[in-house]
Amino acid sequence: IKRKSISNYMIRPYYLFLNIKCIFIIHIFIFFFSTNLFANYNNLITPQGFKADLYISDISAPRQMVEGNKFIFIGGIKGEIFAINKKNTEIRYTLASDLNNSRGIAISNGDLYFAEVDKIWLIKDIDDVMNSIAQKDPELILFDNNLPSDAWHGGKWIKFDDRGRLYANIGAPCN
């Protein structure tokens, strides 16, 4: 006959308390950090002479952006690359879609580069492409497909330095 210790029964209320505490914390987190609260940019404190303003709000999970001549280009984590007209945000295009965890985006020598987990793509002469975007889709050129394919912390942010060298992170850029 196996005997149970009284200490086994005393531990259970502690675990029950932990479970209730976790559920409570999750609900508080959801309440206080909902997207409605994040959208309230009017309460941001900015340095003197600056102001915060909402440029665009309905882009799916934006992560990195770069400014071109007439467009702002945005890499979204949901696998899309967007081009938003700087003067009229109602004019917008999806340059690429169905990407694997896309994030990074950069411009160098007039060419647009964007990254997904294991690849970096290129659209040559992005200003010319945007001038004719209504007539034809942009040509996506594979720049590099020799990157690690691990999706866990595998998102790539990209940037060019002053000498034109492209940098991309391998692994999490934080933690």
Side-chain angles (χ1 to χ4, degrees):
I1 297 175
K2 188 173 183 181
R3 301 178 83 190
K4 293 187 178 182
S5 166
I6 189 73
S7 63
N8 287 344
Y9 294 103
M10 298 189 76
I11 292 174
R12 286 185 183 168
Y14 176 72
Y15 287 116
L16 179 62
F17 171 74
L18 281 180
N19 287 336
I20 291 171
K21 184 178 175 182
C22 287
I23 291 170
F24 178 74
I25 290 171
I26 289 169
H27 281 85
I28 293 296
F29 183 81
I30 290 170
F31 175 76
F32 281 109
F33 297 103
S34 70
T35 56
N36 291 335
L37 291 176
F38 280 132
N40 189 358
Y41 60 90
N42 292 321
N43 293 331
L44 291 174
I45 299 170
T46 59
Q48 187 174 2
F50 291 88
K51 70 175 187 166
D53 205 0
L54 182 63
Y55 179 68
I56 193 164
S57 64
D58 55 349
I59 294 294
S60 179
R63 287 300 182 265
Q64 188 175 1
M65 61 184 182
V66 65
E67 184 176 10
N69 290 327
K70 295 180 182 176
F71 286 85
I72 300 286
F73 300 98
I74 302 171
I77 195 172
K78 301 288 185 184
E80 295 176 304
I81 304 298
F82 303 99
I84 312 299
N85 187 288
K86 288 168 38 172
K87 292 183 180 178
N88 181 357
T89 60
E90 297 299 316
I91 300 172
R92 61 182 71 182
Y93 301 97
T94 301
L95 300 178
S97 59
D98 298 323
L99 300 172
N100 179 12
N101 199 357
S102 59
R103 295 172 192 222
I105 192 160
I107 293 178
S108 179
N109 296 321
D111 299 334
L112 181 71
Y113 294 76
F114 55 93
E116 54 184 318
V117 169
D118 58 344
K119 296 175 184 70
I120 297 177
W121 296 88
L122 159 70
I123 299 176
K124 288 194 165 285
D125 302 315
I126 192 62
D127 288 332
D128 290 341
V129 168
M130 296 312 299
N131 288 334
S132 63
I133 193 80
Q135 289 81 30
K136 66 177 191 171
D137 290 335
E139 178 186 359
L140 307 181
I141 300 167
L142 186 59
F143 178 76
D144 188 346
N145 69 344
N146 196 22
L147 299 171
S149 61
D150 183 22
W152 185 253
H153 290 293
K156 304 288 182 281
W157 282 264
I158 59 175
K159 180 153 178 66
F160 285 92
D161 69 8
D162 294 338
R163 296 182 187 171
R165 295 178 294 198
L166 177 63
Y167 290 88
N169 61 295
I170 304 296
C174 58
N175 285 4

